[in-house]
Amino acid sequence: MKKIKNSLILPFIIFLGAFLVLTTSCEKADNIINNNSFKDQRDGNIYKIKRIGDQVWMAENLRYLPNVVGAETGSETTPYYYVYDYNGTNISAAKATSNYKTYGVLYNWSAAMSGATSSIGSPSEVQGVCPKGWHLPSKTELTELLDYLGRDAIGKLKEDGLAHWNSPNADATNETGFSALPGGYRNGLGKFDYIGEVGLWWTATQSNSNYAWLWFLHYSGNQSGVLGANAKSMGLCVRCIMD
């Protein structure tokens, strides 16, 4: 039998290696989706996930908390992390609160972006504070989500009932399983506000040098809020989308 030339073996090995890496990555992604959950290797937090159209979202607010400060500390450029109604600097104490466990962490835009620059792309390609394999959604990706859901999109995203949302939580059906919660925010006056009434989440898209785009849902009704822009110093929730 004739020997195979080395010039043919090397390209075949390279191709086989690339194929195995790609296959393993695809299988890993499929397993995450089929199991309906994802584990953040940084801190062990496990998140429910949901496919909505062509997008796969975390169905819980991000809880990654590398450090924490009180609401009185704020900046548009220095990353800060908050837990609603916690005004200390002890990470363990902050994580022990019911607000952390239910609503996750509030991030100013600098913390949410983790040094990345603004993006309007789809995907945004901004990992930001999200785990590896996930990213902070751009304004464009949010618009795609709302366009896909169409009529009553906001109600389809909000957790139904009054376990967390104030009454009336009108038109909420949560038929997507996204389970959006009213985690409130850290406002520009250095206070926590509006838990139970409003949920606000950052996008990876800035409006100008001081403002960034966010999306918000309100307890009063289905068409009560979609996209807006506010100061980067505000502390808002984060929902990550799979790469």
Side-chain angles (χ1 to χ4, degrees):
M1 184 173 62
K2 294 181 179 179
K3 293 183 179 179
I4 300 174
K5 294 182 178 179
N6 290 337
S7 59
L8 295 178
I9 293 176
L10 184 58
F12 174 75
I13 292 174
I14 293 173
F15 168 78
L16 179 60
F19 174 78
L20 290 175
V21 170
L22 178 61
T23 302
T24 302
S25 298
C26 291
E27 287 176 351
K28 183 177 180 181
D30 287 341
N31 288 336
I32 291 173
I33 295 167
N34 292 334
N35 291 335
N36 297 318
S37 65
F38 168 81
K39 183 175 183 179
D40 188 342
Q41 298 298 327
R42 297 173 299 182
D43 56 14
N45 269 309
I46 298 175
Y47 299 91
K48 297 176 183 177
I49 63 176
K50 290 292 181 179
R51 178 181 290 278
I52 307 176
D54 294 330
Q55 299 173 334
V56 177
W57 288 85
M58 286 185 178
E60 302 175 60
N61 292 340
L62 191 66
R63 296 188 293 274
Y64 179 62
L65 187 66
N67 57 70
V68 64
V69 295
E72 72 284 353
T73 303
S75 173
E76 291 184 352
T77 56
T78 301
Y80 285 120
Y81 309 81
Y82 310 91
V83 172
Y84 195 99
D85 266 353
Y86 179 77
N87 286 298
T89 58
N90 186 294
I91 297 175
S92 296
K95 287 184 174 182
T97 65
S98 60
N99 284 333
Y100 169 82
K101 296 173 184 176
T102 302
Y103 302 106
V105 175
L106 302 174
Y107 307 86
N108 67 1
W109 198 68
S110 180
M113 294 291 284
S114 294
T117 56
S118 173
S119 170
I120 196 68
S122 178
S124 71
E125 298 185 347
V126 173
Q127 179 179 339
V129 73
C130 296
K132 185 178 180 181
W134 297 77
H135 63 272
L136 196 66
S138 67
K139 180 185 176 186
T140 301
E141 289 176 288
L142 257 299
T143 301
E144 290 170 353
L145 172 67
L146 296 171
D147 287 347
Y148 171 79
L149 293 175
R151 183 179 174 84
D152 302 327
I154 295 172
K156 295 174 183 177
L157 294 169
K158 290 167 63 180
E159 180 191 66
D160 55 341
L162 302 177
H164 300 104
W165 287 94
N166 289 358
S167 180
N169 194 21
D171 303 313
T173 65
N174 197 29
E175 67 178 68
T176 61
F178 190 84
S179 302
L181 294 175
Y185 63 102
R186 182 262 180 195
N187 65 28
L189 300 176
K191 297 180 179 180
F192 296 116
D193 211 355
Y194 290 108
I195 197 168
E197 294 187 18
V198 64
L200 302 98
W201 298 266
W202 283 122
T203 76
T205 309
Q206 73 173 15
S207 175
N208 57 44
S209 58
N210 299 313
Y211 281 63
W213 287 97
L214 56 88
W215 57 297
F216 64 99
L217 306 178
H218 197 266
Y219 76 102
S220 64
N222 178 40
Q223 298 301 327
S224 58
V226 185
L227 286 165
N230 219 319
K232 295 177 180 179
S233 60
M234 291 179 61
L236 311 183
C237 298
V238 162
R239 287 288 183 107
C240 302
I241 184 172
M242 186 181 284
D243 292 349

